[in-house]
């Protein structure tokens, strides 16, 4: 058996691993490269195999950097099946059409502005490809073995991170009647965060592939409830609108949950909350619906007929007309909208409307990448350009660094330390190279393993 790294090798996006046996081949994750243009250009490179010859795809979770290449694969002739957990399938029905829409928009814009090298500029995939990909999804419950090919089977373990996120354990028969297991961590979630069940510990395997996004970092140790309530109380005192740019999947639900609890406990005043994100509304419904994924506290709320991610003072605005009505809304009040880094979406309209008023507040609740509007605002820019118009920044801009869906270096160690046996081969993936080198040293010190850090294109063989 051979494994080829096709993405997330010494970088954090494009997760894609080709697994090949005699007469059977599959992809573990099928992600898009995201971020700077030189990353995104990789999405156009041809795959090292014909897509129609691929037998199956297994997806660990719904994030686009793990799934967004699937419609492209379909466009190139892949005909399925694609295995994932039931909640992952539900999320993908929201995320993949949206990704296709963004691709089409981008191509349209490039043609209008004439900045693309391709003439005409083409989308990586279209809505029809995303819809075709969705038809191939086969939901597999956690822990249930599924045979992929005679002698090859896999199952999912819960990983926290986002709704439906999993690790995948693949088992393959080897000579002499033995079996070998390859374990892919997917993205590892955190301990002690609300709503979802915690990650299940790594049980041990022959080969381990582990993500290292936060391999060299620890999360802000401050209590997120305290930080959040201090910021909200300040914002309410100013009397304006508090804008929270948040990703539609997971961050929006986490913020709603915390707002609910802070308001119920009287730590912050019960002001109106608007969720102005069609995708955020859909994903919040999914987070509500999949009760099998809820942790103990969430179950207790539901047992008492309460839904902390849909509090009584929450209003949702689906249509553009409803969204526009918020422009005239006086404070105090909270508007949650996407995208989380203010790179697009309805949050831009709200920023355009609210930034020039000193009574308003913008609170960022996630990492802001270089080159994004979010980053420029957090760094204190006095003017930002939105939809071609310069807007003076008079509003109070703040950021809370305590939120993340990824385990930090210490939590990754905790995730691995309860195993029943040691892996023979360990590969660090899904991280920047510097962070991975730091984490490799940590792992060697803790467990005595010598992890490898494969590059894109590297081939890995299962040792006999
Ligand atoms: Zn992820």
């Amino acid at each position: 058996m051979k494994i080829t790294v096709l993405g997330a090798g010494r970088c954090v996006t494009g997760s894609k691993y080709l697994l090949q046996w005699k007469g059977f081949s599959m992809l573990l994750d099928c992600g898009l490269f995201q971020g700077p243009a030189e990353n995104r250009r990789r999405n156009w490179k041809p795959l090292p195999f014909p897509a129609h010859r691929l037998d199956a795809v297994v997806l660990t979770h719904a994030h686009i950097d793990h799934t967004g290449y699937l419609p492209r694969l379909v466009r190139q002739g892949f005909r399925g099946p694609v295995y994932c957990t039931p909640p992952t399938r539900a999320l993908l029905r929201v995320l993949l059409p949206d990704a296709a829409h963004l691709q089409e928009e981008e191509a349209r814009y490039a043609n209008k502005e004439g900045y693309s090298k391709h003439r005409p500029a083409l989308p990586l995939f279209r809505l029809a490809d995303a819809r075709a990909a969705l038809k191939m999804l086969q939901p597999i419950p956690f822990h249930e073995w599924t045979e992929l090919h005679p002698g090859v089977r896999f199952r999912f373990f819960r990983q926290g991170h986002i709704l439906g996120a999993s690790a995948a354990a693949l088992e393959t028969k080897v000579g002499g009647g033995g079996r070998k297991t390859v374990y892919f961590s997917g993205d590892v979630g955190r301990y002690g965060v609300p709503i979802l069940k915690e990650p299940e510990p790594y049980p041990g395997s022959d080969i381990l592939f582990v993500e290292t996004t936060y391999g060299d970092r620890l999360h802000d140790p401050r209590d997120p409830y305290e930080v959040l309530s201090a910021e909200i109380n300040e914002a309410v005192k100013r009397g304006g609108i508090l804008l929270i740019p948040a990703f539609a999947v997971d961050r929006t639900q986490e913020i709603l949950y915390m707002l609910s609890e802070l308001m119920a406990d009287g730590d912050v005043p019960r002001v109106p909350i608007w969720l102005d994100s069609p995708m955020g509304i859909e994903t919040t419904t999914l987070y509500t619906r999949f009760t099998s994924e809820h942790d103990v506290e969430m179950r207790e709320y539901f047992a008492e007929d309460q839904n902390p991610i849909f509090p009584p003072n929450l209003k949702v605005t689906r249509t553009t007309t409803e969204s526009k009505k918020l422009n005239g809304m006086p404070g105090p009040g909270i508007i949650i909208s996407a995208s989380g880094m203010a790179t697009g979406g309805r949050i831009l309209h709200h920023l355009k409307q609210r930034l020039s008023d000193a009574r308003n507040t913008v609170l960022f609740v996630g990492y802001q990448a270089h080159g994004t509007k979010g980053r420029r605002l957090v760094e204190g820019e006095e003017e930002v350009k939105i939809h071609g118009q310069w807007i003076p920044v008079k509003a109070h801009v703040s950021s809370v660094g305590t939120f993340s869906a990824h385990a930090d270096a210490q939590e990754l160690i905790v995730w691995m330390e309860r195993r029943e046996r040691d892996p023979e081969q360990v590969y660090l993936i899904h991280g920047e190279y510097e962070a991975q080198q730091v984490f490799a040293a940590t792992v060697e010190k803790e467990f005595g393993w010598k992890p490898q850090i494969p590059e894109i294109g590297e081939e890995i063989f299962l040792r006999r």
Side-chain angles (χ1 to χ4, degrees), residues 292-309:
S292 60
E293 305 312 304
H294 292 167
D295 67 9
V296 177
E297 291 81 7
M298 191 73 173
R299 278 161 192 245
E300 283 170 4
Y301 275 116
F302 273 61
E304 291 165 15
D305 261 342
Q306 293 179 48
N307 182 355
I309 58 176

Side-chain angles (χ1 to χ4, degrees), residues 139-376:
I140 305 289
F142 286 103
H143 308 130
E144 205 170 87
W145 283 112
T146 297
E147 187 173 74
L148 291 162
H149 180 72
V152 183
R153 59 180 190 166
F154 83 98
R155 58 178 170 162
F156 291 124
F157 290 91
R158 276 196 185 79
Q159 206 51 301
H161 185 55
I162 64 166
L163 183 68
S166 67
L170 280 120
E171 204 182 74
T172 177
K173 276 188 185 155
V174 290
R179 290 173 183 277
K180 294 260 186 185
T181 313
V182 186
Y183 204 91
F184 284 89
S185 75
D187 284 357
V188 185
R190 300 183 63 186
Y191 299 95
V193 292
I195 309 175
L196 300 176
K197 286 177 178 162
E198 289 195 341
E200 293 182 79
Y202 165 58
S205 62
D206 296 285
I207 300 188
L208 169 63
F209 283 82
V210 60
E211 71 118 328
T212 49
T213 316
Y214 280 81
D216 61 344
R217 274 175 292 167
L218 298 176
H219 292 310
D220 188 333
R222 291 180 300 165
D223 179 356
Y225 283 92
E226 274 175 32
V227 182
L228 202 57
S229 68
E231 289 286 350
I232 294 167
N233 282 320
E234 282 294 310
V236 170
K237 244 186 259 170
R238 278 188 283 271
I241 290 288
L242 169 62
L243 289 180
I244 305 183
F247 289 110
V249 182
D250 205 69
R251 191 60 39 84
T252 289
Q253 291 77 37
E254 197 180 353
I255 293 294
L256 284 171
Y257 184 100
M258 290 189 169
L259 289 177
S260 270
E261 290 207 317
L262 288 171
M263 287 176 183
D265 294 347
D267 293 330
V268 304
R270 200 181 286 275
V271 296
I273 307 169
W274 291 280
L275 175 54
D276 186 30
S277 157
M279 208 204 271
I281 297 165
E282 286 190 64
T283 51
T284 303
T285 307
L286 295 178
Y287 266 71
T288 300
R289 203 176 83 200
F290 282 97
T291 51
S292 60
E293 305 312 304
H294 292 167
D295 67 9
V296 177
E297 291 81 7
M298 191 73 173
R299 278 161 192 245
E300 283 170 4
Y301 275 116
F302 273 61
E304 291 165 15
D305 261 342
Q306 293 179 48
N307 182 355
I309 58 176
F310 222 105
N313 55 330
L314 175 68
K315 294 186 186 74
V316 299
T317 43
R318 283 175 213 274
T319 65
T320 318
T321 319
E322 287 172 323
S323 173
K324 278 183 183 158
K325 272 192 196 153
L326 294 181
N327 286 347
M329 210 65 83
I334 301 172
I335 298 176
I336 302 171
S337 188
S339 77
M341 296 188 200
T343 47
R346 287 186 182 175
I347 191 68
L348 289 180
H349 296 276
H350 294 298
L351 288 169
K352 198 173 167 189
Q353 186 71 22
R354 306 279 180 180
L355 270 178
S356 56
D357 186 338
R359 288 173 301 175
N360 297 327
T361 307
V362 186
L363 179 62
F364 288 94
V365 288
Y367 172 73
Q368 302 300 310
H370 278 285
T372 60
K373 218 161 261 125
R375 180 65 163 246
R376 281 197 286 279

Side-chain angles (χ1 to χ4, degrees), residues 190-191 212-222 367 400-415 435 438-439 442-443 445-446:
R190 300 183 63 186
Y191 299 95
T212 49
T213 316
Y214 280 81
D216 61 344
R217 274 175 292 167
L218 298 176
H219 292 310
D220 188 333
R222 291 180 300 165
Y367 172 73
V400 182
T402 53
F403 294 95
S404 170
H406 281 273
D408 67 11
Q410 189 51 43
E411 287 168 316
L412 286 172
I413 295 294
V414 170
W415 178 71
V438 173
F439 192 65
T442 309
V443 166
K445 193 169 138 252
E446 287 285 337

Side-chain angles (χ1 to χ4, degrees), residues 12-30:
V12 291
T13 63
S15 276
K16 240 184 262 95
Y17 305 92
L18 174 65
L19 283 71
Q20 291 169 295
W21 290 258
K22 238 182 237 141
F24 178 72
S25 66
M26 59 167 280
L27 277 183
L28 190 292
D29 277 345
C30 190

Side-chain angles (χ1 to χ4, degrees), residues 13-78:
T13 63
S15 276
K16 240 184 262 95
Y17 305 92
L18 174 65
L19 283 71
Q20 291 169 295
W21 290 258
K22 238 182 237 141
F24 178 72
S25 66
M26 59 167 280
L27 277 183
L28 190 292
D29 277 345
C30 190
L32 268 194
F33 288 100
Q34 294 176 308
E38 67 261 32
N39 276 10
R40 283 181 284 130
R41 266 196 289 277
R42 286 190 168 133
N43 293 322
W44 290 96
K45 282 195 180 161
L47 292 169
F49 56 88
H52 71 272
R53 299 272 295 274
L54 194 68
D55 297 294
V57 173
V58 171
L59 302 174
T60 60
H61 65 290
H63 272 150
I64 291 299
D65 64 324
H66 292 255
T67 62
Y69 194 84
L70 196 59
R72 175 96 183 145
L73 198 67
V74 171
R75 201 176 171 79
Q76 293 170 84
F78 172 64

